[in-house]
Amino acid sequence: MAAQPVPRTDAEPTGELKHPVDEKLPALKMATSGLQHVAAMYAGVVAPPLIVGAAVGLSPTELTFLTGACLFTAGLATFLQTLGFWKIGARLPFVNGVTFAGVAPMTAVVASAKDKSDALPIIFGAVIVAGVLGFIAAPFFSKAVRFFPPVVTGSVITLIGVSLLPVAFGWAQGPNPAADDYGSTTNLGLAAATLVIVLLLRRFTRGFVKQIAVLLGLVIGTLVAIPFGVTDFGPVADANVVGFPTPFHFGAPQFQLAAILSLCVVMVVSMTESTADMLALGEIVERPADEKTIAAGLRADTLGSALSPLFNGFMCSAFAQNIGLVAMTRIRSRYVVATGGGFLVLMGLCPMAASLIAVVPRPVLGGAGVVLFGSVAASGIQTLVRAGLEKDNNVLIVAVSLAVGIIPITAPGFYHAFPQTARIVLDSGISTGCVAAVVLNLVFNHLGKGQEADEVTHPMEAGEDLKAVPAH
């Protein structure tokens, strides 16, 4: 059973035992644990700017600049979320970065732009408007927390983990699906070796070494990959030592209605997923996220998104993959993640530092990702254990919401006939599964509440009323 929530305060407690979330760890532990968070989410941050930048046709130098800008703004957004100020920031160990949900609409904006040089300014303008509107809507959006009992949060947390696992499997096969070695025995072998290394470190080490098992696994896996020619040190040699993301480097923001509407839809999806992520992390760190915390967290997300285009970054959102790292290591300090945010800012200001993380081969990241993302799903299952699954209603809620959420994973083209705007939501298994769980919980557990649900041991077992009917 989770511990009772510790009251959230904006000031540091004095003379009282601190919650693990508010603890400041020794410098070395803070730095290595923070770097571990960066390693876990690096690929997710750099993928959107690489995809959008390639669609625009940026040169390698400009593409590097755009990627560095997104790392820099991810660090700033992480500071907002973990350290916070006023009523901004959940003050939980959350890493923020570029949301992948915006990739499809942003590439659509690029495709529709008559002049490709206008594409990024149009995207930046739309992100600013969506961020401002989301900031205004945050306190109203947070009131939905009352509709997230354990049966809903457990389903959503499980879906977060399950939805992320295909990412790890893709990494394990290699960085480029078009390459000849994609899915080769070498790549899969390196992923498996990294997974085994992490598991061995978790099983046979103690204390600090056990807690940074993922980081050590990434380092050892990278060294193992060198003889196979998979590790590329070229990015380090080619990177500049210093580079600042000049404000509005690609031009002043432009405001087009179609792009704004499209990115506003993405913002709603992002806020839904961030709410689910905050509820998940709150359970894991034993500081359940209440309405006030969620509102503050959503303000940090949306403010970070609104400010991000100033430094040539995209829409920011909480990164679910880092929840798995918190769940596995049990290092719950928000200052560890804030340190990770500092590393992200440093990478944005020093391209050479950013390139060091880029050296880690994608298969090695994939092997570690299996542990990280699987840990999120396991945390969801733990929540479901206390969700009252002896009730037939709750079993159906979990069954249907998981099924709906897994559709985009198992059948990626399932919603191909729907408009692109609708697919932004439908292709997010976390969003659709979350909506399904909330609606089903309202229908089965709130409407007509006078009728108590039958207790069953199997979802297909008949309730008591049916058992009482004699056979003819």
Side-chain angles (χ1 to χ4, degrees), residues 82-341:
T82 54
L83 303 178
F85 68 94
W86 186 56
K87 297 181 180 180
I88 297 171
R91 294 170 174 82
L92 289 172
F94 255 130
V95 175
N96 272 43
V98 181
T99 175
F100 208 88
V103 171
M106 286 191 295
T107 52
V109 170
V110 174
S112 62
K114 295 181 179 179
D115 186 347
K116 296 299 182 191
S117 63
D118 290 333
L120 287 175
I122 292 172
I123 290 172
F124 293 148
V127 171
I128 290 172
V129 174
V132 171
L133 293 178
F135 186 88
I136 296 171
F140 306 101
F141 202 92
S142 66
K143 295 184 183 299
V145 68
R146 69 189 68 175
F147 303 118
F148 287 83
V151 67
V152 174
T153 57
S155 300
V156 174
I157 297 168
T158 303
L159 271 175
I160 291 173
V162 172
S163 297
L164 288 171
L165 280 172
V167 177
F169 301 150
W171 289 347
Q173 295 179 83
N176 184 8
D180 294 334
D181 65 344
Y182 187 74
S184 65
T185 55
T186 298
N187 287 347
L188 297 182
L190 288 172
T194 304
L195 173 59
V196 170
I197 290 168
V198 173
L199 293 176
L200 290 175
L201 289 171
R202 291 288 299 178
R203 174 64 182 85
F204 295 107
T205 61
R206 295 182 179 180
F208 181 52
V209 174
K210 183 176 182 178
Q211 290 176 325
I212 62 169
V214 172
L215 180 61
L216 292 176
L218 292 173
V219 172
I220 297 172
T222 301
L223 295 176
V224 170
I226 292 176
F228 296 94
V230 179
T231 307
D232 180 15
F233 291 94
V236 179
D238 298 336
N240 295 324
V241 177
V242 179
F244 183 78
T246 312
F248 300 130
H249 175 81
F250 296 99
Q254 300 179 25
F255 303 95
Q256 289 191 3
L257 182 60
I260 291 172
L261 292 176
S262 182
L263 269 297
C264 282
V265 172
V266 175
M267 179 59 74
V268 172
V269 174
S270 176
M271 293 173 73
T272 302
E273 293 187 354
S274 288
T275 299
D277 290 342
M278 278 184 267
L279 291 167
L281 188 59
E283 293 288 336
I284 291 170
V285 302
E286 298 180 343
R287 179 184 273 182
D290 57 14
E291 183 178 319
K292 181 180 178 182
T293 301
I294 292 174
L298 292 177
R299 287 192 189 99
D301 272 3
T302 52
L303 179 61
S305 295
L307 295 177
S308 185
L310 173 65
F311 299 103
N312 313 285
F314 298 138
M315 187 179 294
C316 294
S317 178
F319 264 53
Q321 48 262 58
N322 292 83
I323 298 175
L325 192 57
V326 175
M328 192 190 74
T329 63
R330 303 303 297 167
I331 297 178
R332 296 177 277 180
S333 171
R334 58 191 172 102
Y335 295 104
V336 164
V337 176
T339 302

